[in-house]
């Protein structure tokens, strides 16, 4: 049943029918008045979603492209940056920074644990010469299902004065990221996550303070030069040919998100996380991220009495549900249930029911049949 | 009649229904076996379209992103390059090269004229120390409708030994670009042109000689690092999340192109160009590009007795046909008729008929009514 595929991976996420249908419209010229109208509308709605009056720029790229833009536009070769990492994506930004010849200092935590804001504070306080120009981190670490305490870390960064550059790829549109209230300088995200549209678009919000740094930043750039995007966005245009059909999808998706409302969106993701975690615990499977540091976008499970890859395989073959595996050294050790974007309570109950059936098929019997679904239902009812 | 829009601009170009419908499929996971199969198929078909056994890599970017990747992956800061330009896009590659600190030498021709291969030969022969590492040029100059003599220029570059880097954004899939037969090192193109799919994907083919240069090239890169794309393409995968729905479209479009056949595709574009030029001449409107240097992708017209922008405006409002205007200093001086991608003889006859009606509406009467359509029909019948 090819067409029954249900995506429960952390991206691409399920796409609503009306978004898919919006994308079937014939392309329009990107230098037309019709496109300008779309650009104006989506830009305004992106600002709403980002809770900001900062510029929110749209790139034809993956989330990595947006995050790279967020880093390279505001720095110069040799600049010292503090990169915080506790998973695959945090480590990627260290690679990006090194690829551009930045002087990278780090604070890290093991995969599956959260960054310690206190270590960040100490590192920043020790920098009395204010040499650190930027602090780079991943908010929701997609590889582990851990969410970092961005609010506290940001407070320490603010006390220091460096720019803060946030990979919010799986948190934006799933968790609260109040850019203006917190004063976040650079926030990057991607379309195939909370936005409910296929991959191909990425977003970067940029604060006035970051634009100030842009003026003297000398790292080379052209396609990812955010100054070009800003200049053209002011005229409701783009510097390079934009993926117009994905813009049609973006327009439809943002209208849906706005109709749902930020509070409801965040509550829904919180509820999905609670239900997933309650179910996994009721099935006596180990959660990879501890209570209090779990991402509302994705839950990682580290089974010991059953093979993670076998769980994924049966879920895919028998029930047409795609789960994500572990990355790098976690390959084969965990499976990850994505529950961000266009995911509702029914989807989660389906996934848990299928997970129970899968576990039984694999001979794992360390749970009371029905316990997972019951726990998920209870968690959903409570919230 | 919003939905009757007919795109006769040089990109986005019209998209076939089956490509649009392919894109409405729900996204699939990009780390799945199903995606690998698509990746394998489209990569093989891209090599067919590129007439090459070189790697053809797929990026989530505009054509500019692909061309930038084609330049920066094979060079180091301070490297001397020879950039040839005779229009907006040729000039853009000069900007890219300068943004990355390359030492840029140029050969240019006025907008609307072709590059002189002889000047290129002289410049390269004068470089007895072989300091020039790469020659960068635009094959079909979208801004003017001029096609450069890539075959001859390439022969001079081969005699010198530098890498040749070609912007084939509006020529690939419209004109013959036999990459292996000519030995072209780097060729960049974009999805919204001859490929008949919406914008959002871009392509770069890379020769073994260019990969050799890659090994020692030190310009900074990460998202546009083609080595990463090559490594993952070998496993039918991508380094960053690919726009899976655009891949669905790419798969469908490449099948259509393959069924049509390269010879037929090139002949069709040649025929559309001949018909357009014959019609424009029959209407006594000045062609911007001279005979022999005209692009099979796009025809620019430089009217003197009628306003170019008025022609575009009436064509759009009365007949739902989008034509492109002039860029930079040609704004208001020319209009451009795109005839690449999913464009047939009937489309062209429609456009010419509408153009005649538009000219009449604007009070331009310097032609025999029906002469444009008659000339186009005759040109179509001949070829």
């Amino acid at each position: 049943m090819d067409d029954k595929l249900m995506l429960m991976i952390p991206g691409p996420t399920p796409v609503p029918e009306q978004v898919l249908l919006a994308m079937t419209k014939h392309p329009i010229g990107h230098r037309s008045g019709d496109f300008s109208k779309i650009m104006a509308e989506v830009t305004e709605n992106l600002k709403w979603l980002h809770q900001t009056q900062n510029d929110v720029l749209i790139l034809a790229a993956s989330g990595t492209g947006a995050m790279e833009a967020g880093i390279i536009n505001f720095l110069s070769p040799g600049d010292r940056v503090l990169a915080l990492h506790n998973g695959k994506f945090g480590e990627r930004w260290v690679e990006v920074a090194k690829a551009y010849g930045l002087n990278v200092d780090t604070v890290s935590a093991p995969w599956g644990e959260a960054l310690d804001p206190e270590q960040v504070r100490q590192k920043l306080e020790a920098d009395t010469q204010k040499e650190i120009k930027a602090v780079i981190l991943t908010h929701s670490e997609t590889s582990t299902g851990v969410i970092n305490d961005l609010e506290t870390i940001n407070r320490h960064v603010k006390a220091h004065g460096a720019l803060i550059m946030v990979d919010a790829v799986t948190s934006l549109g799933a968790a609260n990221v109040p850019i203006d209230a917190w004063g976040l300088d650079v926030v990057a995200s991607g379309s195939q996550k909370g936005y409910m549209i296929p991959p191909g678009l990425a977003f970067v919000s940029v604060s006035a303070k970051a634009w100030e740094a842009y003026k003297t930043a000398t790292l080379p750039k052209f396609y990812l030069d955010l100054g070009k995007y800003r200049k053209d966005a002011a005229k409701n245009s783009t510097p390079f040919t934009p993926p117009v059909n994905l813009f049609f999808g973006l327009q439809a998706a943002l209208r849906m998100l706005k109709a749902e409302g930020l509070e409801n969106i965040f509550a829904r993701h919180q509820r999905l996380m609670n239900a997933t975690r309650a179910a996994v615990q009721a099935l006596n499977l180990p959660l990879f991220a501890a209570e209090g540091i779990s991402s509302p976008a994705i839950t990682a499970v580290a089974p010991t009495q059953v093979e993670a890859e076998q769980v994924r395989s049966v879920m895919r073959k028998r029930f047409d549900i795609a789960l994500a595996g572990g990355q790098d050294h976690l390959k084969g050790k965990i499976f990850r249930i994505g529950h961000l974007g266009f995911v509702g309570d029914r989807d989660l109950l389906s996934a848990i029911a299928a997970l129970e059936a899968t576990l039984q098929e694999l001979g794992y019997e360390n749970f009371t049949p029905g316990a997972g679904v019951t726990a998920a239902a209870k968690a959903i009812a409570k919230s």
Side-chain angles (χ1 to χ4, degrees), chain A:
Chain A
M1 284 206 296
D2 185 32
D3 282 350
K4 271 284 181 192
L5 178 65
M6 180 174 167
L7 287 177
M8 297 288 283
I9 60 177
T13 59
V15 175
E17 203 168 60
Q18 57 187 286
V19 174
L20 288 172
L21 291 176
M23 286 172 44
T24 59
K25 229 177 98 80
H26 281 277
I28 58 174
H30 56 292
R31 299 289 177 240
S32 66
D34 289 337
F35 184 77
S36 294
K37 271 183 224 156
I38 294 173
M39 185 72 186
E41 178 185 329
V42 299
T43 299
E44 189 191 314
N45 286 344
L46 283 170
K47 288 184 180 186
W48 163 81
L49 183 65
H50 284 72
Q51 305 181 60
T52 191
Q53 292 306 313
N54 289 344
D55 292 300
V56 182
L57 306 170
I58 310 171
L59 279 66
S62 76
T64 297
M67 191 61 188
E68 178 172 334
I71 295 172
I72 69 175
N73 274 269
F74 311 104
L75 296 166
S76 302
D79 272 356
R80 200 168 152 209
V81 297
L82 178 61
L84 318 180
H85 63 89
N86 57 330
K88 185 177 177 68
F89 291 91
E91 288 178 5
R92 181 172 285 180
W93 315 135
V94 174
E95 283 179 56
V96 169
K98 287 185 175 166
Y100 280 87
L102 297 172
N103 181 358
V104 188
D105 206 345
T106 60
V107 165
S108 67
W111 288 39
E113 293 180 20
L115 294 164
D116 178 8
E118 195 48 28
Q119 281 184 40
V120 179
R121 188 187 62 75
Q122 286 167 11
K123 202 87 170 183
L124 290 169
E125 281 189 358
D127 178 38
T128 50
Q129 300 302 308
K130 305 289 179 193
E131 285 179 348
I132 296 172
K133 296 274 185 279
V135 176
I136 303 166
L137 80 157
T138 295
H139 186 199
S140 163
E141 181 51 76
T142 314
S143 62
T144 62
V146 166
I147 197 160
N148 287 307
D149 183 357
L150 177 60
E151 186 173 8
T152 305
I153 291 171
N154 177 60
R155 250 199 326 265
H156 300 323
V157 179
K158 284 277 155 299
H160 173 278
L163 291 170
I164 184 160
M165 300 175 168
V166 184
D167 156 12
V169 171
T170 52
S171 64
L172 206 111
N176 191 23
V177 188
I179 291 180
D180 284 359
W182 291 357
L184 302 173
D185 295 302
V186 176
V187 177
S189 55
S191 57
Q192 74 279 15
K193 310 286 183 176
Y195 291 88
M196 317 192 299
I197 59 176
L201 291 177
F203 311 92
V204 201
S205 82
V206 181
S207 71
K209 184 175 166 188
W211 284 125
E212 201 48 44
Y214 173 86
K215 288 183 193 163
T216 54
T218 60
L219 280 178
K221 57 206 169 272
F222 193 88
Y223 183 66
L224 296 179
D225 183 345
L226 295 178
K228 296 187 199 301
Y229 292 83
R230 181 196 207 187
K231 189 170 154 234
D232 283 18
K235 298 173 288 179
N236 289 321
S237 189
T238 59
F240 311 114
T241 310
V244 288
N245 290 60
L246 291 174
F247 271 74
F248 296 154
L250 176 64
Q251 182 182 36
L254 286 171
R255 285 179 186 176
M256 287 177 71
L257 288 169
K258 216 166 170 183
E260 185 176 2
L262 284 182
E263 290 306 315
N264 291 333
I265 293 168
F266 301 151
R268 175 164 56 81
H269 285 89
Q270 201 66 38
R271 191 164 72 236
L272 293 168
M273 176 191 81
N274 290 340
T276 307
R277 292 177 65 85
V280 169
Q281 285 180 300
L283 297 172
N284 294 310
L285 293 172
L287 286 161
F288 192 62
E291 197 68 32
I293 59 164
S294 59
S295 168
I298 183 161
T299 299
V301 182
T304 50
Q305 298 170 50
V306 64
E307 295 282 340
E309 286 304 294
Q310 287 198 338
V311 172
R312 289 182 62 219
S313 172
V314 175
M315 287 286 277
R316 180 69 184 81
K317 281 184 195 149
R318 293 275 294 112
F319 303 107
D320 303 294
I321 296 177
L323 301 180
Q327 292 172 293
D328 295 353
H329 68 272
L330 290 180
K331 216 175 162 86
K333 304 227 172 87
I334 62 170
F335 63 83
R336 296 174 296 150
I337 306 170
H339 38 72
L340 81 158
F342 189 56
V343 179
D345 295 340
R346 188 193 69 214
D347 298 315
L348 197 80
L349 290 176
S350 310
I352 299 300
L355 179 59
E356 285 202 20
T358 297
L359 292 170
Q360 279 164 328
E361 186 163 325
L362 290 172
Y364 171 86
E365 290 178 335
N366 185 23
F367 68 99
T368 310
V373 173
T374 307
K378 205 181 283 179
I380 286 167
K382 262 207 310 207
S383 35

